[in-house]
Amino acid sequence: MSLSFPVPRRRFLAAGSVGLLAPVLLGADGRTSGVPTGRFRRRSVPGGMFTLGVASGDPLPDGVVLWTRLAPRPLEPGGGMPDEPVAVRWEIAHDERFRRSVRSGVRVARPAAAHTVHVDVRGLRPAATYYYRFVVAGQVSAVGRTRTAPAAGSSPASLRFATASCQNWQDGFYTAYRSMADAELDFVAFLGDYVYEAVGGPTRLRDHVGAGQPYTLDEYRIRHAQYRTDPDLAGMHAAAPWIVSIDDHDVDDNWAGEWPADPALVEPVPFAARKAAALRAYAEHLPMRTGPGGRMYRRLGFGDLATLHVLDTRSYRSMQPRSLRAASQPARTMTGAEQERWLVRGLAGSGARWNLLANQVMMAATEGSRRNFDAWDGYRAQRRRLLEFLATGAVANPVVLTGDQHATWVSDLRPDFGDVSSPVVAAEFVGTSITSGGDADPAAIAEFHREHDPEFARNPHFAYCDNRRGYLLGELTRSELRVRLQVVDTVRSPAATTTRTAATFVVSDGRPGVAATES
Ligand code: FE
Ligand code: CA
C-alpha cells in the first residue's frame, strides 16, 4: 500500500491494516447509511487522498473532534477531488493497531467543505489515550493519537501541554514540532497565526503558493493545505489534540472586528467577504467543534486541576488606538462586552485549581520601545478591569498563555504596571514563534538584547525575554506549574535538529506570578 503522506517518524503514525475494514462507498448522492454495497465506485476515487494527514482537537471528558481532508492534489483549488460527496469511514480504538476498536462510523466529505471531515466522537472514556484513522476506498490515512480530558469532578495529579504560535511558512521549517511530538501531551494550545496572509521578504526560505495575499475561499484553503503538507506540522497534529485560537495573520495583519489593517486601502474584495473566507477555511481545516462563523471563544475543563479559557481577541475588539490617551478610553474593548462577561463569570466559577487563559496578544505592559497598541497596551482600561478582578482573589491561580510576539516574554501581571506596590495577580507566558522571524543567529540575538534589555530593566514585571524559535512546554500539578522554554537550533533546514530547554519557570499554587526562573 502506498501513501503519499510524508513518511511518518513516529511508530503510531504508520498506516494501519485495511484487512478488516469494508470498502467504503463513494456515494455520488451523498447518502451513506448502512453498510457500503453495490454502489461502490472504486475507479472514480483518486489515489493518495490523505496528503494532509489527520488531526484531533477540543478534547472533552467523553469525546474529541477527529479531522481529515481528502485532497490528492492539495495545492490546487478543490484539492484534486471530484465535485461530489465522498463517504469516509472513521475508526477510533484503544490501540494503534486497531485490535480494540471503540467506535467507528461513516461521514460524508462534501465539496462545499473542501472534502474536510470533522467527527465529534462521543462516548469515550475520560483521561484516556486513543488512536484513530480514516479509510476511503481501501486508502488508509495515517494513524493519529489523541487524548480525552479528565472527567469533570475528578482530581488529576498532572497535565502536560504545549503552547505554540506564529508559524510563517516562508520563515522556515516546523522543526520545533519534532520534539513536541515526543512529549506525549494532553493537548497543544495554539495561540494564533497558524497561517500567514502576508508575502514574505527577499530572504524567505519557502514560498507560499500563489502570488500576492489570499482573499478568496479557494486561496485560503490552499494556504491551509500548503501549511499542512509540512511533515512536522502534520506529525504534531497526529500526536496530540490541539486547542486552536485565531490571531490577525489567520485573516489579515492587525485586523480588528469589522476592520482590516488599513481601512483606506482598496482591496480586491471587501474585508467582510475576505474575513468570512479566511475564517471558513480555518474552521474547515482545524480540528475544532466550532463551525464556520461560530463562536471561537470557548472553555475546556480538565477535571478540577485546570480550566482553559480560550479567548478570541480579534473578532470583537475596538480598532487599535493611535495615542496613549485613546488607548486609555474606558469604552475600548479587546473582547467585546459579551465575551468579557463570559470570561469573568467563567474565571470565578470554574472550580479548577488552575485557570489558564489561551490569549493571543501580550497582556503585560511594554511601556518602552515595544509599546504595542495592537496588544493589550492598546486596551488598557479593560486590561486593568480584568487584572483588578484577579486581584480580588476570586480566581484560583490565573495564568495567561500568549503568542504573537515572536519572542519569549515571561512576566508578572499587576493592575498598575507602573506601580511596584500594585499586587502581582497572575503570571504571563508569551511563547516564542515556531518559525516567524526565522532563525535567531548570534547577530539577531545581540540585536534583540540591544533593543530590549534597557526596557527589560525599566519594567520590573518582566522575568525573562529571549528571541530564539521554539515553544513552551507546561507541566501542571496540584502544587505548581512548571513551564519550560524549548528552543530549536534551526528552522532553516528540515534535516535533523535539536531542541533544548533554555529556561524553566515555576508558578506555585496560591502564589500569583513567576516564583522561580532557572536558566
Ligand atoms: Fe505572528
Ligand atoms: Ca499576531
Side-chain angles (χ1 to χ4, degrees):
M1 174 178 43
S2 73
L3 285 176
S4 56
F5 182 71
V7 178
R9 277 184 66 252
R10 286 176 65 84
R11 194 165 44 98
F12 62 76
L13 288 174
S17 158
V18 293
L20 298 176
L21 294 167
V24 171
L25 174 72
L26 176 69
D29 58 358
R31 281 184 288 124
T32 56
S33 55
V35 177
T37 55
R39 288 178 298 161
F40 178 53
R41 298 194 300 142
R42 184 185 287 265
R43 255 174 308 176
S44 61
V45 182
M49 286 205 265
F50 293 107
T51 55
L52 302 179
V54 299
S56 71
D58 281 8
L60 301 175
D62 70 335
V64 67
V65 175
L66 307 181
W67 176 95
T68 195
R69 181 182 168 193
L70 309 180
R73 295 193 298 279
L75 306 183
E76 296 177 8
M81 289 296 291
D83 187 23
E84 54 188 49
V86 176
V88 181
R89 185 173 177 81
W90 59 270
E91 185 177 15
I92 188 163
H94 289 300
D95 64 308
E96 60 201 280
R97 293 169 173 269
F98 293 83
R99 296 209 170 113
R100 292 187 295 140
S101 184
V102 174
R103 266 164 198 268
S104 62
V106 173
R107 190 55 63 91
V108 179
R110 298 180 189 281
H115 292 96
T116 55
V117 178
H118 289 80
V119 183
D120 187 2
V121 183
R122 298 298 174 99
L124 304 179
R125 280 190 211 153
T129 298
Y130 289 93
Y131 299 86
Y132 61 95
R133 64 184 176 188
F134 299 87
V135 185
V136 172
Q139 298 174 40
V140 187
S141 74
V143 174
R145 168 197 176 273
T146 192
R147 250 184 100 69
T148 51
S154 69
S155 297
S158 65
L159 267 180
R160 282 167 68 78
F161 65 92
T163 74
S165 63
C166 294
Q167 50 186 25
N168 193 329
W169 172 271
Q170 302 162 112
D171 286 355
F173 296 85
Y174 304 144
T175 53
Y177 288 128
R178 290 194 197 166
S179 56
M180 196 195 287
D182 291 331
E184 309 239 322
L185 300 176
D186 289 291
F187 65 87
V188 177
F190 194 86
L191 303 172
D193 293 354
Y194 187 92
V195 295
Y196 277 69
E197 91 297 1
V199 179
T203 60
R204 66 185 179 268
L205 290 168
R206 300 199 278 187
D207 286 328
H208 279 145
V209 170
Q213 297 193 9
Y215 289 93
T216 66
L217 180 58
D218 271 347
E219 288 165 346
Y220 278 106
R221 282 171 169 171
I222 288 170
R223 184 61 43 94
H224 276 274
Q226 183 180 18
Y227 278 49
R228 207 63 77 80
T229 61
D230 182 292
D232 292 318
L233 176 58
M236 190 57 229
H237 274 295
W242 286 43
I243 299 166
V244 298
S245 60
I246 51 162
D247 197 28
D248 54 338
H249 291 288
D250 295 300
V251 178
D252 180 25
D253 186 23
N254 283 357
W255 67 282
E258 302 308 311
W259 303 98
D262 181 359
L265 201 68
V266 178
E267 307 220 68
V269 300
F271 181 66
R274 183 185 194 183
K275 182 173 84 169
L279 295 180
R280 180 167 161 188
Y282 188 96
E284 286 172 349
H285 286 81
L286 287 156
M288 56 182 189
R289 216 161 266 113
T290 317
R295 198 183 86 174
M296 298 271 292
Y297 62 88
R298 60 203 190 278
R299 193 170 280 126
L300 292 134
F302 297 85
D304 74 355
L305 184 59
T307 296
L308 181 70
H309 309 262
V310 183
L311 301 187
D312 175 352
T313 53
R314 283 288 155 195
S315 299
Y316 314 98
R317 63 156 78 189
S318 317
M319 223 177 148
Q320 293 85 350
R322 297 196 175 180
S323 67
L324 189 55
R325 188 188 164 87
S328 305
Q329 288 161 348
R332 304 186 48 70
T333 177
M334 177 62 99
T335 60
E338 200 178 312
Q339 183 180 187
E340 185 174 359
R341 277 194 300 276
W342 167 89
L343 176 62
V344 165
R345 280 186 199 149
L347 283 169
S350 82
R353 179 167 298 220
W354 297 88
N355 283 281
L356 310 177
L357 275 73
N359 170 55
Q360 293 77 44
V361 290
M362 190 154 168
M363 196 171 279
T366 51
E367 296 300 346
S369 56
R370 287 189 65 78
R371 178 181 286 160
N372 177 1
F373 284 160
D374 183 62
W376 284 86
D377 267 347
Y379 303 79
R380 48 189 68 209
Q382 187 185 358
R383 174 173 67 189
R384 185 162 186 144
R385 225 165 30 240
L386 178 59
L387 296 177
E388 282 177 345
F389 168 64
L390 298 184
T392 65
V395 181
N397 293 322
V399 175
V400 182
L401 307 169
T402 305
D404 189 53
Q405 290 285 329
H406 306 174
T408 305
W409 288 87
V410 177
S411 63
D412 288 335
L413 301 180
R414 19 170 77 111
D416 185 346
F417 288 94
D419 176 3
V420 288
S421 71
S422 179
V424 173
V425 299
E428 180 179 38
F429 294 93
V430 176
T432 183
S433 62
I434 293 292
T435 55
S436 301
D439 268 353
D441 56 24
I445 291 171
E447 162 81 30
F448 178 87
H449 287 286
R450 202 164 34 245
E451 187 182 347
H452 300 303
D453 284 357
E455 175 198 347
F456 187 83
R458 264 202 314 277
N459 290 278
H461 53 272
F462 286 126
Y464 186 87
C465 68
D466 181 277
N467 72 330
R468 286 168 289 180
R469 305 283 72 75
Y471 59 92
L472 298 178
L473 205 54
E475 282 181 45
L476 192 59
T477 67
R478 306 195 75 78
S479 60
E480 66 177 27
L481 168 63
R482 194 163 275 268
V483 176
R484 291 177 217 281
L485 167 59
Q486 302 293 95
V487 299
V488 294
D489 57 351
T490 184
V491 298
R492 293 189 69 83
S493 158
T497 185
T498 56
T499 302
R500 62 186 195 83
T501 302
T504 302
F505 315 97
V506 179
V507 181
S508 299
D509 172 39
R511 278 186 49 205
V514 182
T517 298
E518 304 152 13
S519 58

